[in-house]
Structures are given as structure tokens and as C-alpha cells.
Amino acid sequence: MLAVNELSKSYDQEAMSLKDISMEIEKGEITVIIGPSGAGKTTLLRSLNQLIKDDQGEILIDGLDVRTLNRSKMRQMRRKIGMVFQNYNLIEPLTVLENVLHGTLGGKPTLLGILSIYSDKEQQEALALIKEMGLEEFAFKQCKDLSGGQKQRVGIARALMKHPQIILCDEPVASLDPKSATLVMDILRSLAIEKKMTIVVTLHQVELAKEYADHIIGLRAGSVVFDGPSSALDVAAIRTIYD
Amino acid sequence: MEQRAVIESQVRVRAKKKRRLNRRKLTINSVLTVLGILTIYTLATIVPAHFKVIEAVNEFMGNLKIMFLSPNVGNDTFSKLLSALGQSIYLAGLTTIAGAFGGFVMALLSANNLAPRWLSQIMKSLMASIRAIPTILWVLIYSVSLGLGADAAVIGLTFHSVAYLAKVFANSIEELPQDTIEALKVGGIGILPIIAQAVIPTVKSRLLSWTFIRFEINFANAVVVGAAAGAGGIGYQLYMASSFYFDFHEVGMIIYLILAFTFGLELVSRRLRAKFIEA
Ligand SMILES: Nc1ncnc2c1ncn2[C@@H]1O[C@H](COP(=O)(O)OP(=O)(O)OP(=O)(O)O)[C@@H](O)[C@H]1O
Ligand SMILES: [Mg+2]
């Protein structure tokens, strides 16, 4: 589904943030990227949808190298990818429903987007997703009045509105309490299992990674130092990643 | 031994600094003293021989008393003064609304989370240089080509309002995090829907508050411009009453009218500021 070959990236001449990264990510799995702060997790994740342009290497999505795409192809490619952020990036004064509907704006003619004209079908779908996330009583509330865990579920619903095949999550639970974190991770797991989505998540908590990941990639100083199923992540492996 | 040398050199450096500081203080103080003496001397000698300070102060107090204790409408009618006040309000409102639209467009082009960096920098310096010239001067500059009067007043006031609102609007817009905008951009959403769906809902109340505050400023400007550029309105009435008819009763009346309106504006804008801008 998603393959990376010998990807390297440096923001400036001196330090390499990613060094010769190669990995394979499978459809319908949760792949978790772990590593100490500054290891390059965010850089790798943002390279996948070309928010960061790379120095060299190959990123193949469905066999297509995303680094060579022109503007309109890039737009098409990005429509297959949903993103979820640590700080949610919602429009706080708008309602939950409005934020979720923003997920459809990418494929809309500009004028309809400006006037926020959504079809009945889109609205039904948004409401259904909000219900799926357990937020139906908040659908018409402003996002600024929600808790962190609730906001993150709105963020996921917004990402799902564009029917992505891949969801990239950068530290989706880093600002959440353990209970909300588990709830969000459970949702991601059900998306992988039930909707066969490809989920890539960066995490700080090794425990959560072991519990939810099908596949774990350990980064350290820009290099892959672990790549395997979560059952293979033992104490020795954790040590090579973190100390 | 070595340590001692280091300490000694530090002490020397500090002493030097102190001496320099003392010298600076001395310079400032002596300049201020000289300026003070010159001011007093000039004031004392500028008074012409036949000018009697005490009488002049008395007369001034008398005029103030006429103005503020017995205001009346003088040669005009009250409704005429009210309609002149209305004209000034109208001038302020028109230029504020035009300034808000223009300022919003300029703000979009100068906010560093929306516009490319080069454009943002060019726009910001352009707006800053327009703002550096006071409103009244812009009115006079335009009156060179348009003649003194309402046209020059409208254009000059609008011009400065655009530059002012561009800056405060851009500051408000820049509070929307870059990440949030980027999150929508990677979803393939164009810049215009992002402005309509993300920027405007987030900053709407702050922009409206700033617009109102600018209305307050423009009202003051409209009064001044009415007198100085012959643009009509309450400022013109004030000018006529004070410099042409010497009717201090009417001057008092006009000042009370302006004061009442400004006071109301001030109340509202202080509330808006506390609620939306400083919150
Ligand atoms: N915009 C940037 N400009 C220059 N260097 C950067 C930039 N972003 C990241 N880096 C550098 O790249 C390296 C990897 O950073 P990255 O943000 O990918 O790490 P991370 O694993 O996500 O860390 P964290 O767990 O703290 O989020 C770091 O050394 C960082 O200093
Ligand atoms: Mg990171």
C-alpha cells in the first residue's frame, strides 16, 4: 500500500533528520512510529503526504511515487490521505457539524465552498460519523466548548469525511488523558479492522504502541532501528530505540 | 594569583561603566536645565508690553464660563446643529465601512499565515508608511487634486482607515495558527474557502470590534476635517461659531454635542475591547 525506499531529509546542511529510511506499510493495519523526541517521527509522517519535500528517496503509494507528482495529481493523491493532529486544528468557534463538513471542501467547487453549501447526503453522512464517534449530543455545539478527547474525535470524523484510504496521525493522543487516549486509539483500531484503512500513528507511549500496533517502526536519530510486529518489541529493542 | 587579576580587571570594567553612566546622566541633566531656562526666558519675553497676564486669564475664564455654563444654539437652530452632527457621523461611518472592506483585503495580503512572506512584508511596510502620515495630511494631500471639501475628506479618511485596519486585522488573522490553515490546505481546500470557512469565523468578532474603534477615531477625524478642510458637518459649524461669529454660547453647545456622542462611542468601544480584543 505504502512503501518508502531510502528516504533521506535534512532541513539544513549539517544534520540529517531522516537517514535512508525504508519501510513497508500494509493496508488494514495500524503502523505505529515510536522514537525519542527529535528522532524524526513528525518529519517522516509529513513526508508521506509531501507536506515536507524530501531531499532524496522514494515514497510509493499504490505503486506511484508521490515525489514526482504534478500539482493536480498531488491533489488527487492527498484526497486519499486523511490527517489527524495533536492539537486537533479545528476551527474552534464553529460547530462540530461544520468542522466535520469541512472534510468535504477539498472536492468542492470554490464557490460552493465559500458559501458553505453542502448536499443533504453530505450532511447525513457527517451526522452519521458524529454519531459513530459518540458525539451526537454535541453536533451543534461550538468546538471550543469540547474536551480534548472530544475534539480529537471531531478531528477524526473530519478526516473520514473525504473517504481516505490512509490516515496519518501525528501524536493524536499526546494531549489527552489515558481514558480519552484509549477511546481514540480504539476508534483508530476499528477503522483499520472494519474499514480496512491504512493507519500510521506516531506515539510517545510505548505501552499504547504495543497494545494497538500491528506493526511498529522504531526511529532513532533519523534511522530505523526497529521494524517488526509489536510482539517483537522486547526490552532490548526498546533500549536500542530510547537509550 | 591569576584569579585575582581576573577579578581586578572586572572591577576596572565595572568602574568604567559606572563613569560612563555618570557622564551620560550629567549630559542629559545639563541639556534639560539649559532647555528649561530657555523656555522660561522665551515665555517671559514673548509677552508683548500691552499684554496683561491677569486680565487675559480672567477674560479666558469668562469665555469658558460663557461656553460651558450658558450654551445655546446661537444663530443656528438645534435641528441644524443635530443634522451637522449627523453629517459628521455619516462621514465617519462611510469612511470606516469603506476602510473596513479595503483593510480586510489588505490584511489578507499582509497576514503571514496566509500570504507568501515576500508579499506580506511588502504589504506591511506599505501600510506602515501610509499610516505614518496623519489622516489630516492625507486629506490635504488629496485636496490638492480634488480641491478642499467633502471629496478630499472622504478619500483621505478612507485611505488612512484602510492602512490602520489592515494592520490590526492582519494581527488578528495571524492569531489563527499556521498549522490549522495548513491542515485545511492539505485537504485540497483552496485559499478562498479557507478564508470564508476558517479565517472569518475565527476573527469575525475581533474585526468588528476594531472597525468600531476605528469609527470612533474617524468621528474625531471627521470633526477636525470639517473645520480644517471645509468638509462640512459639526466641525465646520464649530469653526464658524468660534472664528467667524465669535459666538461662545454656540461653541459651548457644539462642544457638548460632540462630547456626548464621543462619550457614548467610548463606552461601547471599551466594552468591545474588553470582550473581544483583550480577552
Ligand atoms: N522546520 C524545521 N527546520 C529545521 N529543523 C527541523 C525542522 N523540523 C524538525 N527539524 C529537526 O529535525 C529533527 C527531527 O524532528 P521531528 O520533529 O521530526 O522529530 P519528532 O520525532 O517528531 O520529535 P517529537 O517527538 O518531539 O515530536 C530534529 O532534530 C529537529 O530539530
Ligand atoms: Mg513530532
Side-chain angles (χ1 to χ4, degrees):
Chain A
M1 173 82 215
L2 216 168
V4 173
N5 291 322
E6 293 175 353
L7 181 71
S8 292
K9 161 82 193 168
S10 68
Y11 288 97
D12 44 48
Q13 255 64 36
E14 287 142 44
M16 297 284 279
S17 296
L18 296 179
K19 285 177 236 162
D20 274 341
I21 304 259
S22 295
M23 60 185 195
E24 296 258 348
I25 290 171
E26 299 300 331
K27 188 174 160 77
E29 283 192 358
I30 294 188
T31 301
V32 172
I33 302 173
I34 56 174
S37 188
K41 304 181 293 292
T42 300
T43 308
L44 176 57
L45 203 70
R46 290 161 67 88
S47 295
L48 294 180
N49 69 345
Q50 292 294 287
L51 267 177
I52 288 176
K53 308 280 182 205
D54 326 292
D55 288 349
Q56 44 197 280
E58 229 181 9
I59 299 170
L60 303 172
I61 295 182
D62 288 334
L64 210 62
D65 189 352
V66 299
R67 297 180 58 252
T68 62
L69 300 179
N70 62 21
R71 263 177 98 97
S72 73
K73 285 269 169 56
M74 178 80 79
R75 243 178 119 136
Q76 275 175 24
M77 182 275 290
R78 282 184 174 156
R79 291 202 48 72
K80 290 194 220 169
I81 303 179
M83 282 201 94
V84 173
F85 307 85
Q86 176 181 347
N87 51 359
Y88 329 117
N89 286 333
L90 302 174
I91 307 304
E92 302 259 327
L94 295 184
T95 64
V96 168
L97 179 61
E98 285 169 315
N99 269 285
V100 172
L101 284 167
H102 281 175
T104 67
L105 286 176
K108 247 187 208 318
T110 302
L111 191 64
L112 294 187
I114 292 174
L115 301 175
S116 45
I117 295 176
Y118 302 102
S119 69
D120 281 348
K121 191 166 150 267
E122 286 167 333
Q123 299 195 30
Q124 295 306 326
E125 192 186 348
L127 285 169
L129 271 173
I130 290 169
K131 199 167 169 200
E132 218 173 291
M133 297 291 142
L135 294 170
E136 61 266 59
E137 51 186 312
F138 300 102
F140 298 98
K141 286 233 166 75
Q142 289 181 305
C143 281
K144 64 168 188 252
D145 297 331
L146 267 51
S147 73
Q150 292 164 340
K151 284 182 189 173
Q152 195 55 290
R153 283 180 273 155
V154 177
I156 294 173
R158 177 175 70 178
L160 291 176
M161 271 310 278
K162 56 181 197 175
H163 309 289
Q165 297 162 16
I166 301 172
I167 295 190
L168 306 177
C169 314
D170 195 9
E171 316 232 354
V173 300
S175 317
L176 305 184
D177 62 87
K179 211 169 147 224
S180 315
T182 313
L183 190 52
V184 166
M185 291 308 294
D186 283 338
I187 289 171
L188 293 179
R189 173 185 275 164
S190 72
L191 293 177
I193 295 174
E194 285 158 27
K195 302 198 179 168
K196 289 277 167 267
M197 287 185 186
T198 307
I199 313 247
V200 187
V201 189
T202 69
L203 286 180
H204 262 128
Q205 304 95 317
V206 177
E207 290 313 311
L208 269 187
K210 277 182 79 88
E211 190 181 338
Y212 285 94
D214 299 300
H215 176 189
I216 293 181
I217 289 168
L219 280 189
R220 176 179 181 156
S223 302
V224 175
V225 295
F226 177 87
D227 187 340
S230 67
S231 55
L233 188 77
D234 52 20
V235 177
I238 292 173
R239 201 165 285 151
T240 52
I241 299 171
Y242 286 97
D243 346 289
Chain B
M1 196 59 218
E2 223 170 75
Q3 225 172 358
R4 210 168 130 185
V6 171
I7 293 176
E8 269 172 13
S9 84
Q10 276 177 349
V11 169
R12 241 174 291 139
V13 168
R14 235 173 267 156
K16 221 175 177 179
K17 256 190 201 158
K18 209 166 181 185
R19 237 175 295 145
R20 212 180 306 148
L21 230 113
N22 279 342
R23 210 178 306 149
R24 196 189 300 164
K25 232 182 198 168
L26 188 72
T27 324
I28 292 176
N29 282 343
S30 43
V31 166
L32 285 180
T33 317
V34 171
L35 284 180
I37 293 171
L38 278 177
T39 312
I40 293 169
Y41 175 79
T42 325
L43 271 180
T45 52
I46 203 174
V47 178
H50 60 274
F51 184 83
K52 313 239 166 31
V53 177
I54 296 174
E55 266 171 48
V57 169
N58 271 341
E59 196 174 325
F60 178 66
M61 290 315 225
N63 283 343
L64 280 188
K65 222 189 274 169
I66 297 177
M67 262 188 225
F68 292 115
L69 297 184
S70 57
N72 66 37
V73 295
N75 290 332
D76 299 308
T77 59
F78 191 67
S79 66
K80 186 167 172 206
L81 288 186
L82 267 189
S83 96
L85 181 67
Q87 270 173 27
S88 293
I89 295 171
Y90 185 73
L91 176 60
L94 180 70
T95 54
T96 306
I97 290 169
F101 281 104
F104 183 64
V105 174
M106 297 298 154
L108 293 175
L109 298 175
S110 42
N112 60 19
N113 50 358
L114 291 176
R117 200 209 298 236
W118 61 269
L119 181 61
S120 152
Q121 262 158 17
I122 292 176
M123 290 307 296
K124 276 184 178 162
S125 356
L126 186 68
M127 292 299 121
S129 45
I130 294 177
R131 269 196 320 276
I133 299 174
T135 309
I136 184 76
L137 276 184
W138 280 116
V139 174
L140 293 177
I141 290 169
Y142 280 109
S143 68
V144 171
S145 52
L146 297 169
L148 275 177
D151 295 343
V154 169
I155 292 179
L157 251 63
T158 304
F159 208 65
H160 198 270
S161 303
V162 167
Y164 175 94
L165 291 174
K167 180 197 160 96
V168 294
F169 284 5
N171 284 346
S172 305
I173 292 173
E174 282 169 3
E175 276 172 38
L176 185 66
Q178 180 86 56
D179 287 353
T180 305
I181 293 172
E182 199 185 66
L184 297 174
K185 261 192 199 157
V186 286
I189 307 177
I191 192 71
L192 291 178
I194 287 180
I195 290 168
Q197 297 293 331
V199 176
I200 293 179
T202 308
V203 300
K204 193 170 51 185
S205 43
R206 244 171 301 172
L207 298 201
L208 286 176
S209 309
W210 277 119
T211 305
F212 188 84
I213 288 168
R214 182 66 206 192
F215 175 64
E216 196 188 341
I217 298 173
N218 274 356
F219 176 69
N221 283 331
V223 173
V224 172
V225 162
I234 196 80
Y236 181 70
Q237 298 297 332
L238 181 64
Y239 170 75
M240 292 305 276
S242 64
S243 312
F244 205 74
Y245 300 117
F246 300 111
D247 184 343
F248 290 127
H249 299 287
E250 188 178 349
V251 169
M253 189 61 170
I254 292 172
I255 289 177
Y256 275 122
L257 273 178
I258 295 174
L259 217 57
F261 189 69
T262 318
F263 188 69
L265 288 182
E266 172 76 21
L267 276 186
V268 177
S269 78
R270 213 183 276 187
R271 259 192 218 158
L272 289 174
R273 209 181 253 276
K275 181 144 188 242
F276 295 116
I277 293 175
E278 272 141 24

